[in-house]
Amino acid sequence: VQALGGALIQRDILARRDDHAAELIRALALLRHDLEAVAPLPEAEGVAFGVRIDGERITLRRSGIAIRGDVTPGNALAEGFGNVHWALSGGVLTRAVAPDGGAEGAPVPILTGARAMRLVALGEMDESHLPPGFELTFETESYGPLRLVVAR
């Protein structure tokens, strides 16, 4: 009975760690996807050249934002522009999407246990006033400092 109880406790611990690792993988995938799709035009809501950083909030002007739920390839609604807002507050990294012509969605918690976030442009700006890449660094309670480098 003790061995079975110990095995169940270990299973629960491993399941929690697995869930937290999946949360981190999902956050990194979404961040990479958003940074790869940064677009310089059209400018809206004061987001010039695709990126605005305001304290612990990063706004990315990007393409491929659907106004409605249909995101099938080739759909004109899925190929519009919009803003993606990443914010860090109270140890939670959130993401909210605001398509052009639509209302901003509510912030969705993406990663818990996040502490600091910093975005840096890599390389010189091109003719569209965007850098060839970005480096995003942030810290987590479980994994320490993490660095995500994305080329456009």
Side-chain angles (χ1 to χ4, degrees), residues 72-107:
T72 55
N75 179 359
L77 293 176
E79 296 174 4
F81 288 89
N83 292 329
V84 177
H85 307 286
W86 285 91
L88 183 59
S89 178
V92 178
L93 184 62
T94 61
R95 180 180 187 260
V97 178
D100 287 351
E104 179 176 337

Side-chain angles (χ1 to χ4, degrees), residues 35 51-53 58 60 117-121 134-137:
L35 288 168
V51 179
R52 181 178 64 204
I53 301 170
I58 297 172
L60 304 172
M117 180 172 61
R118 184 175 68 115
L119 182 68
V120 176
F134 298 97
E135 177 185 53
L136 178 76
T137 55

Side-chain angles (χ1 to χ4, degrees), residues 13-92:
I13 290 170
L14 290 173
R16 280 193 301 272
R17 287 190 186 196
D18 185 48
D19 290 345
H20 193 65
E23 182 183 52
L24 176 63
I25 290 168
R26 178 175 173 237
L28 290 173
L30 283 170
L31 283 161
R32 178 176 298 282
H33 182 70
D34 287 344
L35 288 168
E36 287 173 343
V38 168
L41 295 173
E43 182 177 339
E45 296 180 27
V47 183
F49 311 125
V51 179
R52 181 178 64 204
I53 301 170
D54 183 18
E56 294 288 331
R57 182 177 166 107
I58 297 172
T59 300
L60 304 172
R61 180 91 183 132
R62 61 159 290 180
S63 60
I65 301 291
I67 294 174
R68 296 189 190 110
D70 185 3
V71 293
T72 55
N75 179 359
L77 293 176
E79 296 174 4
F81 288 89
N83 292 329
V84 177
H85 307 286
W86 285 91
L88 183 59
S89 178
V92 178

